[in-house]
Each structure stands twice: as C-alpha cells, then as structure tokens.
C-alpha cells in the first residue's frame, strides 16, 4: 500500500506541475524526480508533502483510502476479534480493524493513534480491547505519521 500511496502522491504532483510556468516546471520536475527515486518512504513522503502543500497532500491520501469507508471489514480482522485478543496494532489508516471490532462485538474499543499514544499502564488497567492506529487514521490528518519528522 505504501508504494501505491507514494505513486498517487507523485501523480498528484505531476498534475500540479503541469500548471506551472516553464521555469518553475523544470525546478519542480527535478524535485519530483528526487522524491520519486527516494527509497526511504519516510523521506519520500516528507518531500512530496512539502512539494504538494498540506491541502493537496491530505486530500490525495484521503481519496486513496476512501474505498475503505464503504468496504467490508476483512474476514481476517473479524477472526482476530472473535479470538478475543487483547488488542491490535494497526499499521493502516483505513480503520478497517475498528470496523471489524464493532461488527464483531457491537461495542467500541479503546482506540488511539501513534501520535497521541497511551501508556502501558493505561492499557493494563483498561478492560476494553484496544486498537493502536500506529500511522493515524484517515479521518484526522493531524494524526498521520508518514514522514520522518
């Protein structure tokens, strides 16, 4: 998914570059080539965010994960929750793990993001299962963790 998401951001930047003057287009194309060739996704996403601007960056990512809003939760997530696991560390921002929990238990889990985190003590005292959305969730761009900073 990360490579596909990077490619979506690159495509958005290519469309944006088409609107620039010739001089600016050459400069931005060179910057895009650097971001495209960056093998470290943390740095590539940082470069693309800076080049696209916050609004286009956010909207492009949200559009990429929008199909998950209406998708069924994967059976594997529902199977995990049926096993009554204590919690789940989710690396995706689509919140399908949360959707599966609600479908399976008709309750709400203790849910938090990698940016706001929680303490181990809180998890040990809490009786509800937890979901740590390590990279954030699509609904809140301020919770996203895609870049080195």
């Amino acid at each position: 998914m990360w490579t596909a998401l990077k490619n979506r951001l690159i495509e958005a930047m290519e469309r944006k570059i088409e609107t620039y003057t010739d001089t600016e287009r050459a400069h931005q194309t060179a910057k895009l080539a650097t971001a495209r060739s960056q093998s470290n996704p943390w740095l590539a996403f940082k470069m693309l965010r800076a080049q696209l601007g916050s609004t286009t960056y956010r909207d492009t990512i949200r559009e990429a994960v929008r199909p998950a809003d209406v998708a069924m939760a994967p059976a594997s997530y529902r199977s995990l929750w049926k096993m009554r696991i204590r919690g789940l560390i989710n690396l995706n921002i689509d919140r399908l793990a949360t959707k599966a929990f609600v479908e399976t238990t008709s309750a709400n889990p203790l849910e938090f993001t990698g940016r706001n985190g929680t303490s181990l003590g809180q998890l040990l005292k809490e009786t509800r299962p937890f979901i740590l959305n390590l990279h954030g969730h699509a609904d809140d761009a301020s919770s996203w963790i895609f870049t080195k900073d």
Side-chain angles (χ1 to χ4, degrees):
M1 174 167 166
W2 300 113
T3 301
L5 189 54
K6 178 182 171 184
N7 289 337
R8 293 280 291 263
L9 293 167
I10 288 169
E11 290 166 6
M13 192 59 217
E14 288 170 339
R15 287 189 300 275
K16 190 171 185 178
I17 287 173
E18 291 174 8
T19 67
Y20 292 149
T21 64
D22 289 341
T23 305
E24 187 63 18
R25 187 177 303 134
H27 176 68
Q28 293 297 331
T29 299
K31 287 173 66 175
L32 179 59
T34 302
R36 184 190 315 261
S37 67
Q38 179 54 250
S39 61
N40 181 328
W42 299 100
L43 294 175
F45 275 64
K46 180 179 181 176
M47 291 173 186
L48 290 164
R49 182 184 64 197
Q51 201 172 2
L52 282 167
S54 297
T55 302
T56 303
Y57 177 81
R58 180 197 66 219
D59 292 349
T60 302
I61 291 173
R62 281 189 177 152
E63 185 63 29
V65 298
R66 188 175 319 277
D69 291 347
V70 294
M72 293 282 296
S76 56
Y77 281 151
R78 287 194 303 276
S79 295
L80 285 170
W81 291 122
K82 287 177 183 175
M83 291 174 21
R84 297 184 178 203
I85 59 174
R86 180 68 180 88
L88 188 142
I89 298 174
N90 184 17
L91 300 178
N92 300 322
I93 66 168
D94 56 27
R95 300 191 77 196
L96 289 172
T98 305
K99 186 183 280 190
F101 181 88
V102 172
E103 288 173 3
T104 305
T105 65
S106 299
N108 290 317
L110 173 64
E111 188 174 15
F112 51 97
T113 66
R115 187 168 303 276
N116 65 10
T118 191
S119 70
L120 180 59
Q122 180 184 359
L123 287 179
L124 294 174
K125 292 177 192 173
E126 180 65 46
T127 59
R128 290 182 295 164
F130 70 89
I131 298 174
L132 166 55
N133 294 298
L134 199 57
H135 290 282
H137 54 79
D139 302 334
D140 182 6
S142 70
S143 70
W144 296 350
I145 301 176
F146 294 146
T147 61
K148 199 170 180 97
D149 58 337

